[in-house]
Amino acid sequence: MFRGLALRYTSNERSNDMAGASSQIAAADSPRTRAAISTLETRFDRRLGKILAHATEVFYDKGYQGASMRDLSRASGMSLAGLYHYFESKEKLLYLIQKHTFTTVVERLRGKLSEASDPESRIRIFISNHLEYFLANQKAMTVLSHEDDVLENGYGQEIAAIKREYYRICIELLDHLKREKKLDFSSRMAVLGLFGMINWIYTWYNPRVDANAKELAREMGDTFLFGICGASPAKGLRKKTVASN
């Protein structure tokens, strides 16, 4: 589900666009054939990446409701007819921006978490991964935050599923910490509190006066972890402590 998303068309659209070119490549499954197809895919990915970057700028400057397909056409350098051919609406562009962003964040997180086992370290990885990506993509973060509930039907459901997966990963990290430290706190409340801390950074972050992503992640990690690690011991452990006294 979380295979790398290098800013690409949906599978059906991509297949249609590449069908003509691919048919000119030898049908035999050879290294040369695979290399040629890979080159075509890279070219399409690169072009789509530029289009989505321009669309992000337009949505950031004008807002989703204020932006038109003509605005997006001018910004991307693609004809209006061409834009409509690949993206039937501005909602499709917003969907692709959101899908790329959230999938990339989750994919990178999974890779980093696989390298650590200590529960506190894994939570710090979660925080730093989030901050590093979003501080490097502040306009995209602003667009996603402001247009969080715009997508409907299948688009909205797909993005919501990726968000739920991200939430579940964080819940699992907190549950692991609770078991290891024998603490008693609400994982749900802790996760939502953490999201409140790291998601709204775009509203106040100023690179001229604020620390970089690495330092911010350290400070926010300290604030969050020192807070939840100061929670009461788990109920079973409390009873044993009282009995021993």
Side-chain angles (χ1 to χ4, degrees):
M1 175 181 179
F2 299 101
R3 178 185 167 203
L5 181 70
L7 286 175
R8 57 183 179 266
Y9 295 106
T10 58
S11 57
N12 289 339
E13 292 164 339
R14 184 179 212 167
S15 297
N16 291 338
D17 290 343
M18 294 181 63
S22 298
S23 65
Q24 298 173 17
I25 299 174
D29 185 16
S30 67
R32 179 176 295 181
T33 300
R34 290 192 293 272
I37 292 174
S38 178
T39 299
L40 284 171
E41 291 178 342
T42 301
R43 191 180 306 145
F44 280 115
D45 290 343
R46 190 161 50 242
R47 185 183 183 194
L48 181 58
K50 291 180 180 178
I51 292 171
L52 294 189
H54 288 305
T56 298
E57 291 279 349
V58 173
F59 289 144
Y60 178 83
D61 292 335
K62 293 178 173 286
Y64 177 78
Q65 296 300 335
S68 68
M69 287 292 278
R70 194 171 296 279
D71 293 327
L72 295 164
S73 168
R74 281 196 293 265
S76 66
M78 178 180 279
S79 70
L80 187 60
L83 195 64
Y84 270 114
H85 175 71
Y86 291 110
F87 315 100
E88 64 271 17
S89 65
K90 63 181 182 179
E91 183 184 27
K92 181 63 171 291
L93 283 163
L94 181 62
Y95 154 75
L96 288 172
I97 292 169
Q98 292 203 15
K99 183 174 181 179
H100 166 68
T101 300
F102 291 125
T103 305
T104 301
V105 170
V106 172
E107 182 183 56
R108 291 182 179 183
L109 175 62
R110 287 192 177 281
K112 294 174 181 178
L113 288 176
S114 66
E115 301 173 357
S117 58
D118 175 70
E120 287 194 27
S121 296
R122 287 164 66 84
I123 291 171
R124 288 185 182 277
I125 287 171
F126 184 96
I127 295 171
S128 65
N129 180 73
H130 189 100
L131 292 178
E132 285 171 6
Y133 184 84
F134 281 114
L135 286 183
N137 299 273
Q138 288 189 69
K139 289 187 177 181
M141 183 181 182
T142 302
V143 169
L144 268 56
S145 298
H146 287 182
E147 316 299 347
D148 182 58
D149 58 352
V150 169
L151 298 178
E152 299 178 347
N153 304 318
Y155 290 156
Q157 292 169 7
E158 185 175 350
I159 299 303
I162 302 174
K163 290 180 178 179
R164 284 195 298 272
E165 178 65 16
Y166 195 45
Y167 172 82
R168 280 195 295 268
I169 291 172
C170 199
I171 283 285
E172 290 171 1
L173 294 176
L174 267 294
D175 285 344
H176 185 198
L177 180 72
K178 281 165 59 172
R179 290 192 299 270
E180 289 290 318
K181 299 287 187 180
K182 295 181 173 57
L183 297 172
D184 183 25
F185 60 84
S186 166
S187 294
R188 179 178 184 276
M189 187 171 72
V191 168
L192 294 178
L194 176 60
F195 282 153
M197 182 189 300
I198 60 181
N199 278 342
W200 287 93
I201 188 173
Y202 81 94
T203 63
W204 57 262
Y205 182 75
N206 183 343
R208 291 191 298 272
V209 297
D210 294 316
N212 59 28
K214 182 177 181 180
E215 182 60 21
L216 277 177
R218 186 192 65 77
E219 292 186 13
M220 286 188 175
D222 287 348
T223 300
F224 179 71
L225 286 167
F226 291 163
I228 61 173
C229 287
S232 301
K235 293 179 181 178
L237 187 61
R238 286 204 302 269
K239 290 179 181 177
K240 291 179 181 179
T241 302
V242 171
S244 63
N245 291 335

